[in-house]
Amino acid sequence: MKTVRIGAAQGFYGDTIEPAIATAKKGDVQYICFDALAELTMAILVKDKKKNENAGYTKDISLQMKALLPYVKEKGIKLLTNAGGINPVGAQQEVLKVARELGIKNLKVAVVTGDNVLDRVEEFQEKGVALTHLETGETIEKVKSKLEFANAYIGAQPIVEALRLGADIVITGRTTDTAQFLAPLIYEFNWSEDDWDRLASGVFMGHLLECSAQSTGGNFSGKWWEIEGFDQIGYPIAEVSEDGEFVVSKVEDRGGLVTVDTVKEQMLYEIHDPSAYITPDVVVDLTNVKLENIGPNEVKVTGTKGKPKPNTLKAVMGYENGYVGQVIVGFTWPDAMLKAKKVDEIIRTQMERMQWNYDEVRTDFLGYNSLHGPLAHDHADELNEVFLRMAVRAKTKPEAARFSRLFPPLALNGPPTMSGFTGNAAPRALIGMWSALIPREMVEEHLKVEIEEV
């Protein structure tokens, strides 16, 4: 039975490229797929584009292409990435530029556009699409005038089209995390758009590969101390059969661990309903999945089922949401926690007296409850040191900036042994997130695939 080998290259913007290079060299893969985007990433890229109209894609694509394009030509490996962010055409041009600098010719670079729907919000509303918040039901009018980006999550089909046009590299904007991984399977095996079980298996494979080394021992909560080679960990590789079954592994001489337990942790990551994991291509049912260790660092995956794809696509929109001002100060034993709490009280009292009405004021005690929240233990009085982190959300940048001015006088006017300021950063703009549903045909009819060749 024909099989396809796919390697994971990136789980987030700024990820290391070393595992992908190892996979290109020794993984015997036909495809290397990247997942560069998260909601936070889109917000970062919007800020980049405000500074430079030609920006808006993940900057590390240049490094990635310099490292991997030689293998594309030497071994025929295809690269699929959503690094285009909010400017996929800009990312395409950057890849073409790198190829020219490397002297690589006869390289086809495809770009998928149409996921960006920021300029179509009015059109959607005129056609009866409410764009109400997916979770709160609030009206879009609340944030409409402050929108900075709006992108629909698209699936694998436009990437498949690019592959059918002969693309060596495919760059998209906002896809689902799994679209890059599913597309090669549809292309290679000619799966139909309603072959729900196989599509679901392809999506699940992509889910297991999308997050860097989380299927190969990274972030593992089991006996992580027994995993060897964290310093050069390998990213997952999937060998997929035409019937949809697949085996997860890694490059043999890279670090990490592939077992039922490591794969299972990634399996459950971000899965709200295991019987209905919704993607644009298929609704995935994981309730009958079977994971089986079949050899050292090899896990076979079977039993994935699929249901018809949804009639809508999820869109995530970012809007201006004020500014954050933050200060971090440290306190030492004795009574470190009491000192930090007292400073929190002093600052809040001063803000109340001066009628500084911020939209939100947050206090965390680093070393005590900043990660555990209300589950923090009851032995705060025994801490050797603690850092007070206070942050405010303000409507304007000057309002956020003035917050930090309250702290310097407390070095001499407050509780003893305040260690100084370690986090008095300049105010920064905040971007809020708005999720809504759009009838899929309204988005998909505007998707476009274009190819340029070096």
Side-chain angles (χ1 to χ4, degrees):
M1 185 182 295
K2 179 181 178 180
T3 63
V4 176
R5 285 177 64 86
I6 298 173
Q10 179 181 30
F12 58 92
Y13 181 15
D15 201 353
T16 176
I17 191 62
E18 289 185 2
I21 297 172
T23 295
K25 284 182 178 179
K26 300 181 178 181
D28 190 27
V29 297
Q30 294 123 290
Y31 296 86
I32 294 179
C33 302
F34 302 69
D35 177 29
L37 299 183
E39 287 77 7
L40 172 61
T41 311
M42 300 297 282
I44 292 170
L45 298 180
V46 165
K47 293 180 180 180
D48 287 347
K49 203 167 191 300
K50 279 185 173 182
K51 300 174 184 176
N52 178 0
E53 185 60 31
N54 295 319
Y57 55 87
T58 61
K59 298 175 184 177
D60 55 359
I61 193 172
S62 304
L63 174 65
Q64 294 163 351
M65 294 300 146
K66 287 177 183 177
L68 295 176
L69 284 186
Y71 299 102
V72 172
K73 294 307 295 181
E74 175 190 345
K75 298 188 174 186
I77 298 171
K78 295 180 183 291
L79 308 179
L80 312 178
T81 179
N82 57 9
I86 60 171
N87 185 11
V89 174
Q92 179 200 37
Q93 295 305 308
E94 180 63 22
V95 173
L96 292 168
K97 175 186 172 185
V98 171
R100 293 186 187 103
E101 290 174 351
L102 294 176
I104 294 175
K105 297 180 180 179
N106 302 316
L107 185 79
K108 292 183 178 180
V109 183
V111 62
V112 177
T113 57
D115 62 291
N116 188 337
V117 296
L118 181 60
D119 295 333
R120 301 183 61 202
V121 171
E122 290 282 359
E123 174 194 340
F124 292 145
Q125 289 187 293
E126 290 171 2
K127 292 181 178 179
V129 182
L131 298 176
T132 53
H133 195 286
L134 192 57
E135 296 180 3
T136 67
E138 295 174 283
T139 171
I140 188 69
E141 302 303 325
K142 178 179 178 180
V143 301
K144 184 176 172 181
S145 63
K146 300 185 289 184
L147 288 177
E148 300 214 327
F149 70 86
N151 294 75
Y153 285 84
I154 62 175
Q157 291 301 332
I159 306 173
V160 176
E161 181 183 344
L163 293 173
R164 287 173 178 161
L165 292 172
D168 301 297
I169 298 166
V170 184
I171 299 167
T172 72
R174 177 71 274 188
T175 61
T176 58
D177 298 345
T178 57
Q180 279 67 234
F181 299 87
L182 172 62
L185 305 180
I186 299 174
Y187 168 66
E188 294 281 352
F189 297 136
N190 199 28
W191 288 346
S192 66
E193 291 189 39
D194 61 354
D195 196 345
W196 304 124
D197 288 349
R198 292 182 182 179
L199 293 173
S201 187
V203 165
F204 184 41
M205 178 275 296
H207 175 70
L208 294 180
L209 266 63
E210 73 188 43
C211 288
S212 303
Q214 283 191 193
S215 285
T216 56
N219 208 26
F220 183 47
S221 63
K223 294 183 179 180
W224 56 267
W225 55 89
E226 295 182 359
I227 295 176
E228 297 180 356
F230 270 124
D231 59 306
Q232 52 176 2
I233 200 164
Y235 284 3
I237 296 171
E239 183 164 0
V240 189
S241 302
E242 193 167 356
D243 61 4
E245 295 183 358
F246 61 94
V247 175
V248 179
S249 63
K250 66 178 182 67
V251 173
E252 192 172 316
D253 60 358
R254 295 288 294 186
L257 180 68
V258 184
T259 67
V260 165
D261 287 341
T262 63
V263 171
K264 192 182 297 182
E265 286 206 359
Q266 174 60 21
M267 172 182 176
L268 298 175
Y269 173 69
E270 290 186 338
I271 298 291
H272 296 282
D273 181 351
S275 69
Y277 179 50
I278 302 173
T279 78
D281 298 292
V282 61
V283 176
V284 182
D285 182 353
L286 301 174
T287 55
N288 293 299
V289 163
K290 180 181 178 182
L291 305 178
E292 179 185 1
N293 289 314
I294 61 171
N297 292 309
E298 288 188 329
V299 172
K300 185 175 182 179
V301 182
T302 57
T304 312
K305 298 294 182 181
K307 305 171 186 177
K309 61 188 177 184
N311 295 320
T312 55
L313 296 179
K314 180 181 177 181
V316 172
M317 312 178 195
Y319 61 92
E320 297 175 1
N321 196 28
Y323 292 81
V324 61
Q326 176 179 283
V327 172
I328 301 176
V329 293
F331 301 90
T332 65
W333 180 92
D335 303 322
M337 190 66 180
L338 289 177
K339 296 169 185 174
K341 286 184 174 180
K342 188 61 179 180
V343 168
D344 176 55
E345 176 189 325
I346 292 170
I347 295 298
R348 289 175 179 269
T349 301
Q350 290 176 337
M351 289 192 297
E352 182 179 355
R353 188 177 69 250
M354 292 183 287
Q355 297 185 336
W356 289 4
N357 297 315
Y358 290 110
D359 294 336
E360 185 178 356
V361 180
R362 179 180 176 89
T363 298
D364 292 294
F365 301 100
L366 308 185
Y368 172 59
N369 70 352
S370 62
L371 298 178
H372 288 84
L375 299 178
H377 62 71
D378 295 327
H379 306 296
D381 56 339
E382 299 176 6
L383 293 173
N384 284 332
E385 58 188 44
V386 66
F387 283 80
L388 168 69
R389 177 176 62 196
M390 293 191 72
V392 297
R393 182 161 60 88
K395 290 183 172 61
T396 67
K397 191 173 183 178
E399 287 177 321
R402 70 185 180 185
F403 173 67
S404 64
R405 300 173 198 158
L406 297 177
F407 288 82
L410 295 180
L412 297 178
N413 300 348
T417 60
M418 187 168 87
S419 70
F421 306 103
T422 61
N424 183 19
R428 55 185 175 84
L430 294 172
I431 295 182
M433 293 296 164
W434 190 276
S435 299
L437 297 177
I438 302 173
R440 64 183 307 139
E441 65 274 8
M442 290 188 181
V443 175
E444 291 175 341
E445 66 188 9
H446 284 257
L447 296 178
K448 185 184 298 185
V449 178
E450 297 175 294
I451 289 184
E452 283 195 40
E453 186 173 356
V454 181

